[in-house]
Amino acid sequence: MGLALVHTRARSGMRAPDVRVEVFMTGGLPQVTIAGLAGTVARESRDRIRAALQASQFELPSKRITVNLAPAELPKDGARFDLPMAVGLLAAAGQIPLQALRDIELLGELSLSGALRGVSGALPAAIAAAAAGRSLIVPEDNALDAAQARGAVVIGARTLAQVVAHLRGECVLPATAAPAQDDAPNSHRANLAPGTNTNLADVMGQALGKRALEVAAAGAHGLRFIGPPGCGKTMLARCLPGLMPPLTEGEALELAVIRSLAAPLREAGGWPRARPFRSPVHGASAVALIGGGSIPRPGELSLAHHGVLFLDELPEWDRRSLEALREPLESGEVHIARAAMHVEFPARPLLVTAMNPCPCGWAGDPSGRCDCPTDAIARYQSRVSGPLLDRIDLHVALVRVPAAELMRREGPGGESSLIVRSRVVAARERQQQRQGKPNAQLAPSELEAIVAATPAASLILERAAERLALSARAVHRVLRVARTLADLAGEATVDTPQMAEAIQFRATSIDANPLTQARLRASTLAEHAIGHGVAAAH
Ligand SMILES: Nc1ncnc2c1ncn2[C@@H]1O[C@H](COP(=O)(O)OP(=O)(O)O)[C@@H](O)[C@H]1O
Ligand SMILES: [Mg+2]
């Protein structure tokens, strides 16, 4: 007498590995021992289970009970195992038929009253349970999340008593219906869900900023806006998710798993219907950005996966936080090492940053209201120089849109996000077919063959590199951007117009020094002249 086996799931990064709860009941002094969980976690779990059983009017025989969670080396956060352990205890005591436990898995925290509380990571658990051919019983709070898993049978319950009655066959808890088809992520205008993203057509003027957004979306290039307060940097950045190709079903599922690991899906933004836009504040800790914790959870970088990570007020950011972003942005993955485990979360967002040009914010403004000393401006801008900038291919200086233009509702340049998005989709498809990845991810060694610059275009770049003292990295960035411009234009080779426009996107800032500014403007104009009268991008 007295052996029961219950299936449940731990969480480890994006996975939900199988855990078995084994309960033995033997003679001897009455006591409950939990093996396979850390001391305090086990004690807290035992107290909750005891209280919940009592509140639900279940009685355990006065026996020696051992609960073992296996395998022992798995990362196990305690609370999610309350429900499977309580059910295992009752089954070992003969109060639940053992065969009722064969084809199900259970997951859930118990409150002292016997009510079930939601846990994190219900969706990956449901995916894994479905793959194992078992149904999954979860707290009602988790049922909708978990039911998103294809082919999963998910049963939501409110209390321990309900679960026990269901397993005894005294009542039948209904399976949670999978979400309706018209809730699918790509239903019409899904990427322009109101409240989250902005439509490009609502942005007046800022042609250069809009062009930069299109290029960023088309080649997955990192982007930096530099401009005075209120010129529309944040507004422009918010347009970007809606310019990227529609979220695929696979991307949505991956994102949903990430969200469900961070918090119950509902709190974390629900089932992804649009590409995410995450804008952590500059005080955010490295853990909030990258992820972490004793049971590692994904951070902002992963929550922005397949979408946009917006870092506003870039010079205000702590250098160490930015430094922590660099490696994951390069590899597209966050690695978190703990004593006993190593987890990975995907993290491939499009990086958009914004900053004022100087401490007061108005350097370069035609009003001349900036009176920051030159060295203060230089110091301000150099605060962000460094590794993060290596990830940014597009640098755009913005100026305020005149009030008269802001009030003009229609006029040229009023393209909607959907129109721009169709060009982006076509450009992305070209890249996918040619090289299997977006241009921003081209390695230096791949550039020459893939960019295919004409001799005239190469000459422009050579001259610009000399005149502007471009580093090798800067030259690579120009080449990647030029390739994307050619893809947007449907051209097989990069010719002078694309090269000239690409060089523009490295003009780093509204420089405080009017001389440098004039030099930059002059060189850009020269580029245009060489580029056979390219239409000015602004
Ligand atoms: N180009 C623009 N077109 C339409 N509205 C604008 C534009 N620029 C700024 N605004 C308005 O000004 C507000 C502030 O813009 P915001 O994007 O927050 O500026 P920034 O981030 O550069 O400080 C926006 O919410 C918007 O209402
Ligand atoms: Mg802003």
Side-chain angles (χ1 to χ4, degrees), residues 103-143:
D103 298 322
I104 62 148
E105 303 192 358
L106 298 115
L107 207 59
E109 178 176 347
L110 285 171
S111 72
L112 302 181
S113 69
L116 297 181
R117 287 205 190 118
V119 297
S120 71
L123 177 56
I127 294 171
R134 294 191 278 257
S135 53
L136 178 67
I137 299 181
V138 292
E140 203 163 56
D141 280 350
N142 289 130

Side-chain angles (χ1 to χ4, degrees), residues 298-486:
E300 291 292 337
L301 201 55
S302 294
L303 289 166
H305 185 51
H306 296 313
V308 172
L309 180 70
F310 180 54
L311 305 184
D312 207 352
E313 316 277 0
L314 200 54
E316 306 298 329
W317 283 76
D318 179 47
R319 258 174 188 271
R320 269 164 310 172
S321 305
L322 296 183
E323 174 63 25
L325 289 173
R326 189 174 56 93
E327 202 280 323
L329 282 173
E330 196 122 1
S331 66
E333 273 177 349
V334 169
H335 295 264
I336 299 170
R338 287 282 170 279
M341 64 180 139
H342 179 176
V343 302
E344 293 168 12
F345 296 114
R348 206 178 272 294
L350 233 172
L351 178 67
V352 180
T353 64
M355 61 183 278
N356 296 339
C358 68
C360 84
W362 296 97
D365 194 69
S367 66
R369 66 191 264 193
C370 171
D371 52 10
C372 297
T374 316
D375 59 331
I377 298 176
R379 234 179 299 122
Y380 187 78
Q381 298 202 352
S382 71
R383 269 198 242 167
V384 295
S385 67
L388 192 74
L389 291 187
D390 281 345
R391 303 302 312 157
I392 300 178
D393 292 340
L394 300 162
H395 300 264
V396 181
L398 299 173
V399 291
R400 264 179 320 149
V401 174
E405 202 173 330
L406 276 183
M407 287 181 295
R408 205 181 324 130
R409 273 276 123 192
E410 71 273 20
E415 275 187 323
S416 78
S417 290
L418 281 178
I419 290 175
V420 175
R421 187 169 83 178
S422 64
R423 292 197 295 265
V424 166
V425 167
R428 282 268 184 133
E429 269 163 15
R430 280 188 199 104
Q431 296 163 53
Q432 199 57 35
Q433 275 173 15
R434 185 176 60 225
Q435 70 221 17
K437 59 185 174 187
N439 290 334
Q441 287 167 34
L442 287 173
S445 59
E446 298 172 297
L447 285 173
E448 194 182 339
I450 287 177
V451 171
T454 63
S458 298
L459 192 62
I460 293 187
L461 180 55
E462 262 169 51
R463 286 193 194 147
E466 227 164 84
R467 198 175 46 244
L468 303 170
L470 298 185
S471 67
R473 282 184 178 177
V475 168
H476 294 157
R477 285 198 287 272
V478 171
L479 286 169
R480 291 188 190 101
V481 171
R483 183 61 260 173
T484 300
L485 292 166

Side-chain angles (χ1 to χ4, degrees), residues 3-24:
L3 169 65
L5 171 68
V6 183
H7 298 284
T8 183
R9 299 264 157 201
R11 44 160 297 193
S12 167
M14 298 282 283
R15 296 176 310 114
D18 194 21
V19 171
R20 294 183 310 281
V21 178
E22 300 155 346
V23 184
F24 307 90

Side-chain angles (χ1 to χ4, degrees), residues 31-357:
Q31 78 172 56
V32 176
T33 322
I34 299 177
L37 280 181
T40 39
V41 177
R43 249 190 320 277
E44 286 166 9
S45 234
R46 192 177 53 197
D47 292 346
R48 281 194 304 271
I49 292 169
R50 199 176 264 148
L53 286 170
Q54 214 160 47
S56 316
Q57 279 155 26
F58 295 116
E59 262 179 57
L60 287 180
S62 299
K63 300 246 167 146
R64 186 183 170 81
I65 301 172
T66 308
V67 181
N68 182 41
L69 280 86
E73 72 274 14
L74 271 173
K76 294 182 285 273
D77 50 321
R80 64 201 295 106
F81 302 121
D82 288 355
L83 177 62
M85 287 197 283
V87 164
L89 288 170
L90 291 169
Q95 299 181 36
I96 292 174
L98 292 179
Q99 73 268 17
L101 300 176
R102 251 204 356 239
D103 298 322
I104 62 148
E105 303 192 358
L106 298 115
L107 207 59
E109 178 176 347
L110 285 171
S111 72
L112 302 181
S113 69
L116 297 181
R117 287 205 190 118
V119 297
S120 71
L123 177 56
I127 294 171
R134 294 191 278 257
S135 53
L136 178 67
I137 299 181
V138 292
E140 203 163 56
D141 280 350
N142 289 130
L144 269 179
D145 289 9
Q148 309 271 3
R150 200 183 284 263
V153 178
V154 172
I155 295 161
R158 273 198 302 275
T159 64
L160 172 63
Q162 276 187 339
V163 173
V164 174
H166 175 81
L167 294 172
R168 284 174 175 165
E170 294 165 2
C171 75
V172 176
L173 290 173
T176 305
Q181 270 305 303
D182 61 333
D183 280 353
N186 283 328
S187 59
H188 90 137
R189 289 173 65 83
N191 270 6
L192 301 177
T196 51
N197 300 331
T198 309
N199 195 317
L200 206 60
D202 295 334
V203 182
M204 303 289 120
Q206 299 298 20
L208 184 60
K210 291 182 182 180
R211 177 70 168 160
L213 289 175
E214 179 171 345
V215 178
H221 300 286
L223 172 60
R224 175 167 68 140
F225 287 129
I226 306 152
C231 74
K233 300 183 293 296
T234 301
M235 192 183 192
L236 281 165
R238 284 194 171 275
C239 293
L240 193 49
L243 303 181
M244 295 162 77
L247 202 62
T248 66
E249 215 177 292
E251 288 171 338
L253 183 64
E254 196 180 3
L255 207 49
V257 170
I258 293 172
R259 286 186 183 176
S260 85
L261 294 172
L265 252 187
R266 208 175 327 130
E267 288 165 32
W271 183 258
R273 291 171 211 295
R275 293 193 179 269
F277 181 90
R278 305 289 302 191
S279 50
V281 292
H282 57 74
S285 68
V287 168
L289 286 174
I290 309 296
S294 56
I295 296 137
R297 288 168 189 275
E300 291 292 337
L301 201 55
S302 294
L303 289 166
H305 185 51
H306 296 313
V308 172
L309 180 70
F310 180 54
L311 305 184
D312 207 352
E313 316 277 0
L314 200 54
E316 306 298 329
W317 283 76
D318 179 47
R319 258 174 188 271
R320 269 164 310 172
S321 305
L322 296 183
E323 174 63 25
L325 289 173
R326 189 174 56 93
E327 202 280 323
L329 282 173
E330 196 122 1
S331 66
E333 273 177 349
V334 169
H335 295 264
I336 299 170
R338 287 282 170 279
M341 64 180 139
H342 179 176
V343 302
E344 293 168 12
F345 296 114
R348 206 178 272 294
L350 233 172
L351 178 67
V352 180
T353 64
M355 61 183 278
N356 296 339

